[in-house]
Amino acid sequence: MSSRPTPAELADYEAQADAWFRENTPKDPGFMLPLTFMEVSTDQQFDFLCAWQRKVYEAGYLGASWPVEYGGGGLHPDFQRIATKVMKKYDGPIMLNAIGIGWAGPLIMDIGSEEEKKKYIKGMLNAEDIWCQGFSEPENGSDLGNAQLKAVRDGDEYVLNGSKIWTSLGDRAKYMILLARTSNEGPNKYAGLSFFLSPMHAPGIETRRIKKLTGEYGFVQCFFTDARIPAECLMGNEGDGWQIAMKTLEYERGAKVNLAGGYFLKELDAMGVVELARQSQRGGKPLLDDPVMKDRMVDFMMDIQALNLNNQRRRMGPLVQDRPMGLALMNKLARTEMIRELTEFSLSFQGTRGGYYVDDPCAVDNGYWHRSYLNSFSATIGGGTSEIQRNIIAEHVLGLPKGR
C-alpha cells in the first residue's frame, strides 16, 4: 500500500476527480436505469452499466487502491474514498458488478491465492467478468448452514447437483461464489460445506429469470444438473466453506469497507422526501405545515444521521471483531427497514396518485417513489432476511434464548 497522502495531495486528487465526473457522468441515457444491481432487466441497461463501470475504471476511479499487479491503481485507500464520494456527488449510475468488486474481489484479495488474484481481479474491475453469488437455496432461504447443493469430487472435477435462488445477475454472470455441500459427515452441519469460485458457463448449469413485484427482472434461479467444474475452483480446502462464507458476509453486511470503491444502491435521501412534501398539499395547505408531518420527517432525518454515524464506526477495528458482527448486522437491519418505511411514507401523502406506477402520466415523478418502495423490499431480503438478522442478533449478540 502506498504511503498516506498529504492533505494537499488529496485536495488535488479531489479536484481532478470532480472535473472528471462533472464532465463524464451521464445524466439521462434515455431509458430507465436500475436503482440497484438487483434489478438489471434489459440488455440495454446491462450494456450501459458495463460501459459506465469500464469507463470509471479506465479513468482510475475504481479499484484505485488495489495493487497494480492485479489491475488496480496502487494508490492509498484515501484516494478511492474521495473518488467514491465525488461519484455520489454527481449521482452517477450504480456500479453493475456489485458481487465481484464488492464481495468476491475483497475476499480474494484477503485470502485468495496469488493465482486467483491474477486470474480474477482485473476482469471484475473492468466489468468483463460479471459475478454472482450462490448462497440462498429454494428450500433453505437465508439459512446458509443448511445448504444442500451437492459437490462431489470426481477426479480433477467436482460434479454439482442442486439449485440456488435469488441470484442477482445469475443469467449474465461469468463466475459465481458458490457455497456447496461436499460432505454430510462431521461434528455439525457447517463442517461439510465448501466454497467454490465456479464458472457459470459449464454444461449442466441453467438459469431461469424471476419477475419481481416491480415488473423488472434481476433475480434468477440457477439449476445444477451433473454440472462439472474444475477441482481447482475450490477455494481453500474442503470443509472450509462456512468460514469463507462468513468472511464474504463481512463485506456484504458492511463490517469491512469495500476498498474497490463505487456504490451499488441508489439510497434515498430524506431531503428528497422533504422536497416532495413541500410540493404536496393537504386540505388546501402545504403538507409541511402539518406538525405531525414535521415530526415524522425529523424522526427520519435523525434515524438517517444515526445510521450514517454508526456506519463510520465500522472503521474502528475493535468494534467489528466480534462474531457474528453485531454492529454490521444491526446496521444492515436498521437501514434496510428504515428505507422501506421512508419510501412507504412518501407514498402516504401522494393520495390516489401514489397508486400510479412508472410511465403512467398520473404518477408523481414518473412513479419513482412507488418503484423505490417496491424495490426497497429486495434489500430486506438480500444478505439475509430481516427475520434472520433479528434471530441472529437476539440469540448470538444479545444472548436471548432460542425460540422453539
Side-chain angles (χ1 to χ4, degrees):
M1 180 186 299
S2 61
S3 58
R4 181 173 290 279
T6 66
E9 290 173 325
L10 291 176
D12 287 344
Y13 184 81
E14 183 165 3
Q16 294 170 18
D18 193 278
W20 192 89
F21 281 102
R22 183 173 60 249
E23 174 69 22
N24 291 282
T25 300
K27 299 303 180 187
D28 181 9
F31 54 89
M32 187 171 66
L33 282 174
L35 298 175
T36 80
F37 71 97
M38 295 178 280
E39 66 220 32
V40 180
S41 293
T42 66
D43 291 342
Q44 191 178 40
Q45 292 173 330
F46 180 79
D47 292 342
F48 178 88
L49 291 174
C50 276
W52 170 244
Q53 181 177 321
R54 188 174 303 116
K55 187 170 185 176
V56 175
Y57 166 71
E58 290 175 349
Y61 297 119
L62 184 70
S65 65
W66 281 8
V68 174
E69 58 268 34
Y70 309 131
L75 300 177
H76 190 276
D78 284 353
F79 289 109
Q80 183 61 66
R81 294 191 187 99
I82 285 177
T84 300
K85 182 184 74 172
V86 176
M87 200 182 307
K88 290 181 177 178
K89 172 185 172 182
Y90 285 99
D91 195 26
I94 59 170
M95 289 295 119
L96 173 70
N97 203 9
I99 306 295
I101 60 178
W103 305 324
L107 177 73
I108 292 171
M109 291 297 296
D110 194 5
I111 64 171
S113 66
E114 186 70 11
E115 183 180 4
E116 288 168 338
K117 293 174 187 175
K118 289 181 177 176
K119 179 177 180 180
Y120 296 120
I121 297 298
K122 185 175 180 179
M124 293 175 179
L125 291 171
N126 64 17
E128 286 187 3
D129 300 337
I130 303 301
W131 285 66
C132 64
Q133 182 182 40
F135 280 14
S136 295
E137 297 190 355
E139 300 299 326
N140 298 298
S142 296
D143 186 3
L144 299 185
N146 276 325
Q148 295 298 314
L149 186 144
K150 289 184 171 53
V152 178
R153 180 79 182 248
D154 182 18
D156 292 333
E157 296 178 317
Y158 278 92
V159 182
L160 308 179
N161 279 285
S163 181
K164 296 290 180 180
I165 198 167
W166 311 126
T167 311
S168 303
L169 293 171
D171 56 334
R172 301 177 185 272
K174 184 176 181 180
Y175 296 107
M176 167 185 276
I177 45 176
L178 173 66
L179 188 64
R181 184 161 297 283
T182 47
S183 172
N184 287 313
E185 306 297 328
N188 54 52
K189 62 184 179 182
Y190 309 111
L193 295 170
S194 297
F195 198 95
F196 295 88
L197 306 175
S198 171
M200 284 295 288
H201 300 308
I205 300 178
E206 300 176 30
T207 59
R208 185 178 302 162
R209 303 178 84 192
I210 299 173
K211 191 172 185 178
K212 296 172 58 177
L213 190 63
T214 62
E216 299 165 288
Y217 293 87
F219 293 143
V220 305
Q221 183 170 357
C222 300
F223 299 90
F224 299 79
T225 307
D226 294 328
R228 289 179 171 271
I229 62 172
E232 64 188 23
C233 295
L234 176 69
M235 191 175 200
N237 300 311
E238 275 196 18
D240 288 347
W242 181 252
Q243 291 75 19
I244 298 175
M246 292 302 101
K247 291 193 74 67
T248 309
L249 291 180
E250 291 180 3
Y251 292 102
E252 184 172 357
R253 292 171 176 167
K256 285 189 173 180
V257 176
N258 164 30
L259 295 178
Y263 61 100
F264 318 120
L265 309 170
K266 288 277 190 179
E267 292 200 357
L268 281 177
D269 183 346
M271 292 308 296
V273 182
V274 170
E275 184 58 32
L276 178 65
R278 194 188 310 280
Q279 299 169 11
S280 303
Q281 290 196 340
R282 179 177 292 167
K285 297 180 179 178
L287 198 58
L288 278 182
D289 286 353
D290 184 338
V292 175
M293 175 65 67
K294 289 181 180 176
D295 281 350
R296 290 291 307 278
M297 290 305 312
V298 170
D299 285 345
F300 278 122
M301 295 172 77
M302 291 171 63
D303 287 345
I304 289 174
Q305 181 65 8
L307 285 168
N308 289 338
L309 291 174
N310 233 357
N311 204 35
Q312 297 298 316
R313 298 170 68 202
R314 292 185 306 151
R315 297 181 182 178
M316 302 177 186
L319 295 179
V320 290
Q321 297 302 313
D322 64 311
R323 294 291 181 276
M325 303 176 291
L327 177 62
L329 285 169
M330 183 272 292
N331 253 4
K332 192 268 184 188
L333 173 63
R335 181 176 291 277
T336 56
E337 289 294 333
M338 189 276 295
I339 291 173
R340 183 184 57 75
E341 293 173 11
L342 180 62
T343 51
E344 184 178 23
F345 176 64
S346 73
L347 293 180
S348 70
F349 53 80
Q350 293 181 28
T352 56
R353 293 185 68 191
Y356 293 101
Y357 198 55
V358 173
D359 290 339
D360 192 301
C362 294
V364 176
D365 293 338
N366 194 30
Y368 170 81
W369 303 99
H370 199 156
R371 182 184 179 216
S372 296
Y373 170 63
L374 296 180
N375 271 318
S376 68
F377 289 89
S378 297
T380 65
I381 297 172
T385 65
S386 292
E387 290 77 10
I388 290 289
Q389 307 294 310
R390 290 189 179 99
N391 278 343
I392 297 174
I393 291 171
E395 296 171 2
H396 300 290
V397 178
L398 300 178
L400 299 178
K402 290 187 177 182
R404 294 182 178 176

